[in-house]
Amino acid sequence: MSATTMADILRVENLVVHFDTTEGRIHAVNGVSLSLEPGEVLGIVGESGSGKSVTMMSLLGLIPQPPGKIESGRALFDATNGQGVVDLLALDRPALRAIRGKHIGFIFQDPISSLNPTMNIGRQIAESLMKHLGLGEGEARKRTVELLNHVGIADAARHYDSYPHEFSGGMRQRVMIAIAVACRPKLVIADEPTTALDVTVQAQIMDLVRRLQRELDMAVIWISHDLGVVAGLADRVAVMYGGTIVECAQVDQLFDRPQHPYTAGLLGAVPSLLETNGVEERPLVSIEGSPPDLLEELNCCPFADRCSYVFARCWQERPALLSVGPQHAVACFYDMSAEANRSQ
Ligand SMILES: Nc1ncnc2c1ncn2[C@@H]1O[C@H](COP(=O)(O)OP(=O)(O)O)[C@@H](O)[C@H]1O
Ligand SMILES: [Mg+2]
């Protein structure tokens, strides 16, 4: 496949992942497809347990196998111009390790468990530069200090020798971001990177990622359970539910005209109010009922038992994610747009 080229930097097709546990098989990811253009920011939102992390960990080769198993799917990634396309799911461990950190940066929720507690932070960044870019020790140190400055760590030369525990949560996350962007990757995956931080620091980290994304022209996948966070960052948003993507659209489109009852529920919208006035005023509401039992294999709509628009077909087959307009796809048998038009 190496000669193939594609316009997307990443194209995930029909990813299916399960875990075999003592309680039975957990169907964590049930046919996720998504794509990302170079330089684009894709937000992925969904409740806890909807399969966001498992999807991303699968791409990075970080699923523990067993108990996990990537049942099927492809994840075509265009590493760098000219090198052609690889299927991340088909690569062996060394090949993935070479891509991870170099061509795909990643930032997780909990930097303390991702950073090595026994190594000073300068060294942790410098090692990545030496490993992936072949820099010598002096050059890597110089670049590391620049990077620390760049991610907003004041007095970087002094902090080079600090250990992770000497830093606040926000500072540690800045270090993780420095590591993630050190090799100027074309794709960064950020999995709830601000969830553990207080609101002020959260905003600073979001600003930092947004600035770096523009400066380095990176594509970013930003995962959050908070639609508000994603709205401020993303060009496009994918909504996950029960291990599938139920809707994906440009951010304005998603907020103004949600087409899936679950998205509408998340937004606190009712169909007759689909013509709304913007993003800021929308309260997030909780939806009655509980998420689907992932121990059961999904052959109906995963949202059927919580949906106010449910009808017979929703219980009989699983809706596919289909295009309903430019850059807008939805997995639902009910036509919300028809309803919105009728009520105008
Ligand atoms: N190592 C694992 N072993 C068993 N089940 C797992 C494992 N990792 C994730 N899961 C299950 O997969 C489902 C999806 O999890 P996850 O992707 O972490 O959700 P999210 O990131 O959306 O909160 C959950 O039911 C979770 O319990
Ligand atoms: Mg998660």
Side-chain angles (χ1 to χ4, degrees), residues 19 21 26 28 46-55 64 67 191-192 294:
F19 294 91
T21 70
I26 298 176
E47 291 167 292
S48 175
S50 57
K52 307 181 296 297
S53 295
V54 172
T55 300
D191 189 351
E192 311 228 26
L294 298 174

PDB file of all heavy atoms in Angstrom, residues 19 21 26 28 46-55 64 67 191-192 294, ligand 1:
ATOM      1  N   PHE A  19     -13.055  -6.610  24.292  1.00  0.00           N
ATOM      2  CA  PHE A  19     -12.243  -7.125  25.401  1.00  0.00           C
ATOM      3  C   PHE A  19     -12.911  -8.370  25.950  1.00  0.00           C
ATOM      4  O   PHE A  19     -14.112  -8.354  26.222  1.00  0.00           O
ATOM      5  CB  PHE A  19     -12.137  -6.089  26.529  1.00  0.00           C
ATOM      6  CG  PHE A  19     -11.376  -4.861  26.139  1.00  0.00           C
ATOM      7  CD1 PHE A  19     -12.031  -3.764  25.593  1.00  0.00           C
ATOM      8  CD2 PHE A  19      -9.998  -4.795  26.317  1.00  0.00           C
ATOM      9  CE1 PHE A  19     -11.324  -2.627  25.228  1.00  0.00           C
ATOM     10  CE2 PHE A  19      -9.288  -3.668  25.954  1.00  0.00           C
ATOM     11  CZ  PHE A  19      -9.950  -2.572  25.406  1.00  0.00           C
ATOM     12  N   THR A  21     -13.422 -10.487  29.037  1.00  0.00           N
ATOM     13  CA  THR A  21     -13.251 -10.382  30.481  1.00  0.00           C
ATOM     14  C   THR A  21     -13.977 -11.537  31.156  1.00  0.00           C
ATOM     15  O   THR A  21     -14.694 -12.292  30.492  1.00  0.00           O
ATOM     16  CB  THR A  21     -13.838  -9.054  31.007  1.00  0.00           C
ATOM     17  OG1 THR A  21     -15.265  -9.107  30.898  1.00  0.00           O
ATOM     18  CG2 THR A  21     -13.328  -7.865  30.217  1.00  0.00           C
ATOM     19  N   ILE A  26     -16.729  -7.568  26.163  1.00  0.00           N
ATOM     20  CA  ILE A  26     -17.146  -6.158  26.132  1.00  0.00           C
ATOM     21  C   ILE A  26     -16.933  -5.623  24.720  1.00  0.00           C
ATOM     22  O   ILE A  26     -15.798  -5.572  24.226  1.00  0.00           O
ATOM     23  CB  ILE A  26     -16.326  -5.324  27.139  1.00  0.00           C
ATOM     24  CG1 ILE A  26     -16.565  -5.842  28.555  1.00  0.00           C
ATOM     25  CG2 ILE A  26     -16.681  -3.840  27.036  1.00  0.00           C
ATOM     26  CD1 ILE A  26     -15.736  -5.147  29.618  1.00  0.00           C
ATOM     27  N   ALA A  28     -16.430  -2.852  22.913  1.00  0.00           N
ATOM     28  CA  ALA A  28     -16.059  -1.468  23.246  1.00  0.00           C
ATOM     29  C   ALA A  28     -16.170  -0.535  22.047  1.00  0.00           C
ATOM     30  O   ALA A  28     -16.638   0.594  22.169  1.00  0.00           O
ATOM     31  CB  ALA A  28     -14.649  -1.441  23.811  1.00  0.00           C
ATOM     32  N   GLY A  46     -18.355  12.235  23.835  1.00  0.00           N
ATOM     33  CA  GLY A  46     -19.178  11.089  24.193  1.00  0.00           C
ATOM     34  C   GLY A  46     -19.053  10.878  25.689  1.00  0.00           C
ATOM     35  O   GLY A  46     -18.075  11.286  26.303  1.00  0.00           O
ATOM     36  N   GLU A  47     -20.086  10.216  26.240  1.00  0.00           N
ATOM     37  CA  GLU A  47     -20.073   9.932  27.669  1.00  0.00           C
ATOM     38  C   GLU A  47     -18.924   8.988  27.996  1.00  0.00           C
ATOM     39  O   GLU A  47     -18.404   8.305  27.118  1.00  0.00           O
ATOM     40  CB  GLU A  47     -21.383   9.233  28.063  1.00  0.00           C
ATOM     41  CG  GLU A  47     -22.598  10.104  27.988  1.00  0.00           C
ATOM     42  CD  GLU A  47     -23.875   9.272  28.087  1.00  0.00           C
ATOM     43  OE1 GLU A  47     -24.166   8.508  27.152  1.00  0.00           O
ATOM     44  OE2 GLU A  47     -24.578   9.405  29.090  1.00  0.00           O
ATOM     45  N   SER A  48     -18.612   8.933  29.272  1.00  0.00           N
ATOM     46  CA  SER A  48     -17.608   7.995  29.745  1.00  0.00           C
ATOM     47  C   SER A  48     -18.016   6.570  29.345  1.00  0.00           C
ATOM     48  O   SER A  48     -19.172   6.195  29.472  1.00  0.00           O
ATOM     49  CB  SER A  48     -17.515   8.129  31.259  1.00  0.00           C
ATOM     50  OG  SER A  48     -16.655   7.168  31.766  1.00  0.00           O
ATOM     51  N   GLY A  49     -17.080   5.814  28.802  1.00  0.00           N
ATOM     52  CA  GLY A  49     -17.359   4.439  28.410  1.00  0.00           C
ATOM     53  C   GLY A  49     -17.866   4.289  26.986  1.00  0.00           C
ATOM     54  O   GLY A  49     -18.179   3.182  26.549  1.00  0.00           O
ATOM     55  N   SER A  50     -17.930   5.397  26.231  1.00  0.00           N
ATOM     56  CA  SER A  50     -18.476   5.309  24.876  1.00  0.00           C
ATOM     57  C   SER A  50     -17.450   4.812  23.854  1.00  0.00           C
ATOM     58  O   SER A  50     -17.773   4.665  22.680  1.00  0.00           O
ATOM     59  CB  SER A  50     -19.068   6.652  24.438  1.00  0.00           C
ATOM     60  OG  SER A  50     -18.111   7.677  24.513  1.00  0.00           O
ATOM     61  N   GLY A  51     -16.228   4.579  24.288  1.00  0.00           N
ATOM     62  CA  GLY A  51     -15.240   3.982  23.389  1.00  0.00           C
ATOM     63  C   GLY A  51     -14.232   4.950  22.802  1.00  0.00           C
ATOM     64  O   GLY A  51     -13.477   4.584  21.895  1.00  0.00           O
ATOM     65  N   LYS A  52     -14.186   6.152  23.331  1.00  0.00           N
ATOM     66  CA  LYS A  52     -13.281   7.174  22.790  1.00  0.00           C
ATOM     67  C   LYS A  52     -11.817   6.756  22.951  1.00  0.00           C
ATOM     68  O   LYS A  52     -11.051   6.758  21.989  1.00  0.00           O
ATOM     69  CB  LYS A  52     -13.530   8.528  23.487  1.00  0.00           C
ATOM     70  CG  LYS A  52     -14.985   8.978  23.452  1.00  0.00           C
ATOM     71  CD  LYS A  52     -15.190  10.338  24.123  1.00  0.00           C
ATOM     72  CE  LYS A  52     -14.885  10.412  25.605  1.00  0.00           C
ATOM     73  NZ  LYS A  52     -15.740   9.559  26.470  1.00  0.00           N
ATOM     74  N   SER A  53     -11.459   6.408  24.178  1.00  0.00           N
ATOM     75  CA  SER A  53     -10.046   6.079  24.433  1.00  0.00           C
ATOM     76  C   SER A  53      -9.641   4.791  23.733  1.00  0.00           C
ATOM     77  O   SER A  53      -8.548   4.713  23.162  1.00  0.00           O
ATOM     78  CB  SER A  53      -9.793   5.950  25.938  1.00  0.00           C
ATOM     79  OG  SER A  53      -9.985   7.184  26.566  1.00  0.00           O
ATOM     80  N   VAL A  54     -10.515   3.803  23.765  1.00  0.00           N
ATOM     81  CA  VAL A  54     -10.168   2.526  23.126  1.00  0.00           C
ATOM     82  C   VAL A  54      -9.937   2.743  21.622  1.00  0.00           C
ATOM     83  O   VAL A  54      -9.005   2.185  21.036  1.00  0.00           O
ATOM     84  CB  VAL A  54     -11.246   1.452  23.387  1.00  0.00           C
ATOM     85  CG1 VAL A  54     -10.979   0.193  22.566  1.00  0.00           C
ATOM     86  CG2 VAL A  54     -11.291   1.092  24.872  1.00  0.00           C
ATOM     87  N   THR A  55     -10.747   3.576  21.004  1.00  0.00           N
ATOM     88  CA  THR A  55     -10.547   3.888  19.587  1.00  0.00           C
ATOM     89  C   THR A  55      -9.143   4.448  19.355  1.00  0.00           C
ATOM     90  O   THR A  55      -8.400   3.976  18.495  1.00  0.00           O
ATOM     91  CB  THR A  55     -11.601   4.917  19.103  1.00  0.00           C
ATOM     92  OG1 THR A  55     -12.895   4.352  19.280  1.00  0.00           O
ATOM     93  CG2 THR A  55     -11.410   5.278  17.645  1.00  0.00           C
ATOM     94  N   PRO A  64      -4.045  -3.338  25.358  1.00  0.00           N
ATOM     95  CA  PRO A  64      -3.454  -4.581  25.861  1.00  0.00           C
ATOM     96  C   PRO A  64      -4.132  -5.782  25.205  1.00  0.00           C
ATOM     97  O   PRO A  64      -5.339  -5.952  25.295  1.00  0.00           O
ATOM     98  CB  PRO A  64      -3.751  -4.532  27.370  1.00  0.00           C
ATOM     99  CG  PRO A  64      -4.922  -3.614  27.517  1.00  0.00           C
ATOM    100  CD  PRO A  64      -4.878  -2.657  26.363  1.00  0.00           C
ATOM    101  N   PRO A  67      -6.402  -8.569  27.216  1.00  0.00           N
ATOM    102  CA  PRO A  67      -7.751  -9.047  26.903  1.00  0.00           C
ATOM    103  C   PRO A  67      -8.347  -8.379  25.664  1.00  0.00           C
ATOM    104  O   PRO A  67      -9.379  -8.827  25.182  1.00  0.00           O
ATOM    105  CB  PRO A  67      -8.551  -8.647  28.144  1.00  0.00           C
ATOM    106  CG  PRO A  67      -7.875  -7.389  28.624  1.00  0.00           C
ATOM    107  CD  PRO A  67      -6.421  -7.584  28.320  1.00  0.00           C
ATOM    108  N   ASP A 191      -6.262  13.007  24.442  1.00  0.00           N
ATOM    109  CA  ASP A 191      -7.382  12.280  25.058  1.00  0.00           C
ATOM    110  C   ASP A 191      -7.714  12.902  26.415  1.00  0.00           C
ATOM    111  O   ASP A 191      -7.032  12.643  27.396  1.00  0.00           O
ATOM    112  CB  ASP A 191      -7.014  10.802  25.197  1.00  0.00           C
ATOM    113  CG  ASP A 191      -8.214   9.949  25.633  1.00  0.00           C
ATOM    114  OD1 ASP A 191      -9.266  10.534  25.979  1.00  0.00           O
ATOM    115  OD2 ASP A 191      -8.092   8.720  25.623  1.00  0.00           O
ATOM    116  N   GLU A 192      -8.735  13.724  26.441  1.00  0.00           N
ATOM    117  CA  GLU A 192      -9.180  14.424  27.647  1.00  0.00           C
ATOM    118  C   GLU A 192      -8.011  15.080  28.387  1.00  0.00           C
ATOM    119  O   GLU A 192      -7.858  14.916  29.599  1.00  0.00           O
ATOM    120  CB  GLU A 192      -9.915  13.455  28.588  1.00  0.00           C
ATOM    121  CG  GLU A 192     -10.980  12.646  27.877  1.00  0.00           C
ATOM    122  CD  GLU A 192     -12.309  12.629  28.600  1.00  0.00           C
ATOM    123  OE1 GLU A 192     -12.613  13.581  29.357  1.00  0.00           O
ATOM    124  OE2 GLU A 192     -13.060  11.657  28.388  1.00  0.00           O
ATOM    125  N   LEU A 294     -22.455  -2.862  27.097  1.00  0.00           N
ATOM    126  CA  LEU A 294     -21.518  -3.258  26.051  1.00  0.00           C
ATOM    127  C   LEU A 294     -21.242  -4.756  26.049  1.00  0.00           C
ATOM    128  O   LEU A 294     -20.557  -5.267  25.171  1.00  0.00           O
ATOM    129  CB  LEU A 294     -20.215  -2.469  26.185  1.00  0.00           C
ATOM    130  CG  LEU A 294     -20.365  -0.953  26.025  1.00  0.00           C
ATOM    131  CD1 LEU A 294     -19.046  -0.251  26.312  1.00  0.00           C
ATOM    132  CD2 LEU A 294     -20.848  -0.585  24.618  1.00  0.00           C
TER     133      LEU A 294
HETATM  134  N1  LIG B   1      -8.302  -3.062  29.336  1.00  0.00           N
HETATM  135  C1  LIG B   1      -9.629  -3.194  29.319  1.00  0.00           C
HETATM  136  N2  LIG B   1     -10.228  -4.339  29.717  1.00  0.00           N
HETATM  137  C2  LIG B   1     -11.566  -4.476  29.690  1.00  0.00           C
HETATM  138  N3  LIG B   1     -12.407  -3.524  29.269  1.00  0.00           N
HETATM  139  C3  LIG B   1     -11.885  -2.371  28.856  1.00  0.00           C
HETATM  140  C4  LIG B   1     -10.480  -2.134  28.860  1.00  0.00           C
HETATM  141  N4  LIG B   1     -10.255  -0.872  28.397  1.00  0.00           N
HETATM  142  C5  LIG B   1     -11.480  -0.357  28.120  1.00  0.00           C
HETATM  143  N5  LIG B   1     -12.455  -1.245  28.394  1.00  0.00           N
HETATM  144  C6  LIG B   1     -13.902  -1.040  28.219  1.00  0.00           C
HETATM  145  O1  LIG B   1     -14.174  -0.492  26.955  1.00  0.00           O
HETATM  146  C7  LIG B   1     -15.254   0.418  27.021  1.00  0.00           C
HETATM  147  C8  LIG B   1     -14.875   1.736  26.402  1.00  0.00           C
HETATM  148  O2  LIG B   1     -13.907   2.353  27.207  1.00  0.00           O
HETATM  149  P1  LIG B   1     -13.193   3.726  26.838  1.00  0.00           P
HETATM  150  O3  LIG B   1     -12.787   3.726  25.413  1.00  0.00           O
HETATM  151  O4  LIG B   1     -12.089   3.885  27.835  1.00  0.00           O
HETATM  152  O5  LIG B   1     -14.326   4.798  27.089  1.00  0.00           O
HETATM  153  P2  LIG B   1     -14.204   6.396  27.066  1.00  0.00           P
HETATM  154  O6  LIG B   1     -12.788   6.768  26.754  1.00  0.00           O
HETATM  155  O7  LIG B   1     -15.177   6.856  26.025  1.00  0.00           O
HETATM  156  O8  LIG B   1     -14.620   6.828  28.428  1.00  0.00           O
HETATM  157  C9  LIG B   1     -15.618   0.526  28.491  1.00  0.00           C
HETATM  158  O9  LIG B   1     -16.733  -0.303  28.756  1.00  0.00           O
HETATM  159  C10 LIG B   1     -14.404  -0.004  29.194  1.00  0.00           C
HETATM  160  O10 LIG B   1     -14.742  -0.574  30.423  1.00  0.00           O
END
